[in-house]
Amino acid sequence: MVSPLARYLLAFAALLLSCPPIQAAAIPTKTPRHLFDIRESSAGALLLPTDIAIDKQGRIYVVDSGNSRIAVFGPNGDALSTISERGSKQGQLRDPVGIGVDQKGLIYVADSGNKRIQVFDAAGRFKFGFPVKEKGEQVKPIDVAVSSNGNIYVTGNTNHKVMVFNRSGKLLKQWGGEGTSDGQFRFPGTLLVHHGLIYVVDVLNTRVQVFEPSGRFRYNIGEWGVAPGQMFRPKGVALDNRGRRYVTDSYMDLIQVFEPPYRFAYVLGSSGRIQKFTAPAGIAISPTNRLYVAEMLKHKVSVYDLP
């Protein structure tokens, strides 16, 4: 004799077998066209590249972090020169991470190992620098960007803040502090100054926070998770010429794209299949809509035409 529980289980199993399988929604993708890879500088192979900047002439500046120098390339990836060497003297670098270029073509480097910002001209000559400090204590900088009025924005790894300096190294303002609320950070990384807004990759809070130059919070891009539009370990942020936000995720090895201001649009890939990068970190987009991706563990910069 079949028990009522057994009859229920049999009926439930039959119902499951009769139902069509649930299809996961296809992930929206757009395909970038690969142009070339950059692997060798004028001084040798890249080692753990972390960030990229493009100047008005199209020159490509790569933070060759493992070699403690900046590698310089022409618009088509031809190796031109290198800037600096490992050390702690003026004009030397130790484990640099982030880079920025101002409107005059000066190159700003977050010299993380020496806890300072160093600035060079396009020929690689040292121009000026200053220690990154808060209340007399040195802070490890991760990235640096310069606004149109010359203010220098720096992300502090050890104080979880965005700090704003003038060219003399005077601290003008700061905001943040360790926490999970809007306007707080857990290990802020890459930052970008674009059209009057400050974009800050808030690494362990798995989001990009957007601020006005005053430090007033505007909105977040992304949230924790592994679904489309979510992030697990964001590292780099860039904007294309239509204002779309590109964010690298070094854990999921992909690049997501958000329509202004923060709506998820698609993942770089093809026909619903995600394009995998290898530990993508800093990224940059040129005025001609070329995408440059620092793939740290592949020791290269990948270059694409964007769709």
Side-chain angles (χ1 to χ4, degrees):
M1 183 175 178
V2 180
S3 69
L5 176 60
R7 283 198 300 270
Y8 172 79
L9 292 175
L10 287 171
F12 184 66
L15 178 63
L16 288 178
L17 290 173
S18 66
C19 291
I22 298 173
Q23 299 293 327
I27 297 173
T29 56
K30 285 194 177 182
T31 309
R33 183 171 66 93
H34 182 259
L35 298 176
F36 55 88
D37 291 335
I38 298 173
R39 298 178 181 271
E40 294 276 340
S41 76
S42 62
L46 297 178
L47 180 62
L48 300 173
T50 54
D51 201 10
I52 307 148
I54 314 295
D55 71 9
K56 289 181 178 180
Q57 285 70 44
R59 285 185 293 257
I60 307 161
Y61 299 92
V62 178
V63 180
D64 189 5
S65 185
N67 290 313
S68 288
R69 62 192 178 209
I70 306 302
V72 187
F73 302 87
N76 293 317
D78 46 316
L80 299 179
S81 61
T82 59
I83 297 173
S84 194
E85 61 186 359
R86 183 179 294 275
S88 57
K89 296 179 181 179
Q90 179 177 286
Q92 294 180 327
L93 302 170
R94 186 157 60 91
D95 305 324
V97 178
I99 191 170
V101 177
D102 71 10
Q103 294 179 336
K104 297 180 180 179
L106 292 179
I107 303 148
Y108 295 71
V109 182
D111 184 10
S112 297
N114 289 317
K115 296 182 179 179
R116 62 189 181 185
I117 301 299
Q118 299 229 72
V119 184
F120 305 84
D121 65 17
R125 294 183 291 258
F126 174 79
K127 301 299 290 184
F128 66 92
F130 56 86
V132 179
K133 289 185 177 182
E134 179 195 12
K135 297 178 180 178
E137 295 291 326
Q138 284 194 297
V139 176
K140 182 179 180 180
I142 296 299
D143 200 12
V144 57
V146 186
S147 65
S148 58
N149 67 359
N151 284 346
I152 302 166
Y153 290 78
V154 177
T155 44
N157 179 268
T158 46
N159 65 350
H160 309 278
K161 291 181 179 180
V162 173
M163 311 172 73
V164 188
F165 298 89
N166 65 15
R167 289 168 59 95
S168 299
K170 179 182 178 181
L171 181 62
L172 303 177
K173 70 182 76 166
Q174 60 181 334
W175 67 85
E178 188 172 9
T180 58
S181 300
D182 293 341
Q184 294 181 314
F185 304 101
R186 287 196 299 157
F187 298 101
T190 299
L191 63 82
L192 172 70
V193 178
H194 186 86
H195 287 178
L197 292 177
I198 318 300
Y199 296 78
V200 184
V201 177
D202 187 7
V203 177
L204 289 193
N205 283 327
T206 62
R207 61 191 179 188
V208 177
Q209 295 199 67
V210 184
F211 301 89
E212 296 175 359
S214 64
R216 178 175 176 267
F217 172 81
R218 291 287 296 274
Y219 55 85
N220 285 316
I221 300 171
E223 61 182 4
W224 183 87
V226 295
Q230 297 178 329
M231 305 173 186
F232 202 90
R233 193 64 79 240
K235 284 293 177 70
V237 61
L239 274 70
D240 70 12
N241 57 19
R242 293 182 60 185
R244 291 173 292 208
R245 289 88 161 119
Y246 293 68
V247 183
T248 62
D249 193 309
S250 66
Y251 179 83
M252 294 194 286
D253 287 336
L254 51 76
I255 297 176
Q256 299 192 77
V257 183
F258 297 80
E259 295 285 358
Y262 48 76
R263 181 177 64 85
F264 169 75
Y266 53 88
V267 180
L268 294 188
S270 178
S271 302
R273 298 186 65 179
I274 295 169
Q275 178 170 337
K276 288 289 187 176
F277 300 85
T278 302
I283 54 175
I285 298 176
S286 73
T288 58
N289 237 31
R290 277 188 175 181
L291 171 69
Y292 302 79
V293 184
E295 296 192 63
M296 281 187 63
L297 299 185
K298 281 281 183 140
H299 310 292
K300 69 175 184 177
V301 172
S302 306
V303 186
Y304 298 84
D305 261 339
L306 288 173

